[in-house]
């Protein structure tokens, strides 16, 4: 019997296109892992995508940081999941997060924490970035992977006056790819473990 693909949903909002570039990098990374079916879902398209999201092994949430939190548009989607929370429908799915903003910090951590708390309330299993901080020694450079030094998820920065064709770029996009790949690899292992448990039972 053919093995079912491991499903990864990347659910994100982007008001002006910058976080969409980061989301695309997460998708590239996740798609490098064989046996995965990766779907990039802007929040605006959620109504036709709930089936995919509900059946996903992992959901990666992304948002710009607006006023030190996730955007209202991502939050709206999160708040629409209260029925799923009641049913425990997303429990034991893997979860991860990414955010983009103009400031180097810009309070991006607050957005990742918000997404993390959401995932924890749903009983999901959080996958952090898993990279050491880059660009934090005298020999470091902004080209280092994880140059913004995030741990909870992937961070990227885009100058406020620069279009999404230009920023975010470089290390931040490679960091986003890393997160996508890491979550996809974890999801493949997670699914294999669940299958082994079923056989053993
Ligand atoms: C309403 C609003 C609030 C913002 N608040 C922050 C903030 O708290 N920190 C920050 O670094 N940038 C902030 N920015 C800048 C955006 O995070 C930045 O322009 C980002 O690239 C936008 O992503 P998007 O193009 O995906 O919407 C804010 C922008 C807007 C429109």
């Amino acid at each position: 019997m053919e093995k079912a693909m491991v499903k990864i949903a990347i659910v994100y909002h982007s008001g002006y296109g910058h976080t969409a570039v980061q989301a695309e990098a997460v998708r590239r990374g996740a798609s490098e892992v064989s046996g995965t079916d990766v779907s990039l879902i802007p929040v605006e398209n959620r109504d036709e995508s709930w089936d995919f999201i509900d059946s996903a092994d992992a959901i990666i949430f992304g948002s710009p940081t607006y006023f030190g939190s996730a955007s209202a548009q991502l939050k709206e989607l999160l708040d629409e999941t209260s029925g799923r929370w009641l049913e425990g429908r997303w429990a034991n799915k893997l979860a991860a997060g990414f955010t983009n903003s103009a400031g180097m910090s810009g309070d991006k951590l607050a957005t990742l924490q918000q997404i993390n708390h959401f995932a924890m309330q749903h009983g999901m299993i959080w996958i952090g970035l898993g990279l050491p901080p880059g660009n934090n020694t005298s020999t470091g450079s902004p080209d280092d992977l994880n140059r913004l030094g995030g741990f909870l998820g992937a961070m990227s920065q885009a100058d406020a006056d620069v279009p999404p064709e230009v920023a975010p770029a470089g290390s931040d996009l490679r960091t986003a790819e890393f997160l996508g790949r890491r979550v996809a690899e974890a999801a493949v292992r997670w699914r294999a473990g669940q299958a082994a448990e079923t056989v053993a039972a």
Side-chain angles (χ1 to χ4, degrees):
M1 202 175 71
E2 210 175 297
K3 267 205 316 199
M5 302 284 268
V6 171
K7 288 186 180 180
I8 319 283
I10 302 165
V11 176
Y12 73 98
H13 171 250
S14 179
Y16 305 91
H18 302 86
T19 311
V21 174
Q22 188 188 24
E24 172 58 30
V26 173
R27 188 201 63 74
R28 271 198 307 280
S31 299
E32 281 173 22
V33 179
S34 67
T36 57
D37 178 5
V38 184
S39 185
L40 201 53
I41 303 167
V43 290
E44 298 81 3
N45 295 354
R46 61 185 172 282
D47 283 344
E48 59 261 34
S49 306
W50 284 120
D51 284 350
F52 189 95
I53 301 170
D54 287 335
S55 63
D57 299 274
I59 310 176
I60 310 177
F61 300 93
S63 173
T65 292
Y66 289 165
F67 291 122
S69 79
S71 66
Q73 288 88 338
L74 182 78
K75 184 69 165 84
E76 192 175 44
L77 179 146
L78 301 184
D79 288 353
E80 279 172 21
T81 65
S82 57
R84 288 166 171 82
W85 175 83
L86 268 176
E87 294 165 8
R89 209 151 154 197
W90 286 5
N92 298 325
K93 288 184 190 300
L94 304 190
F98 61 91
T99 187
N100 169 79
S101 86
M104 290 294 163
S105 160
D107 290 337
K108 282 190 260 287
L109 179 60
T111 302
L112 293 178
Q113 286 173 326
Q114 184 182 7
I115 295 170
N116 169 253
H117 291 159
F118 167 85
M120 296 300 91
Q121 291 210 6
H122 269 279
M124 301 174 85
I125 295 161
W126 188 259
I127 308 289
L129 181 58
L131 277 173
N135 197 25
N136 69 343
T137 64
S138 59
T139 56
S141 114
D143 264 350
D144 293 349
L145 209 52
N146 194 23
R147 69 170 180 135
L148 296 170
F151 293 96
L152 200 54
M155 297 179 172
S156 74
Q157 184 269 342
D159 288 340
D161 57 349
V162 164
E165 292 73 31
V166 181
S171 154
D172 292 352
L173 296 188
R174 287 187 285 115
T175 302
E177 285 173 6
F178 184 93
L179 180 75
R181 202 159 47 239
R182 174 173 163 83
V183 173
E185 285 168 351
V188 168
R189 288 197 301 273
W190 183 236
R191 170 78 79 80
Q194 285 172 324
E197 271 177 28
T198 310
V199 170

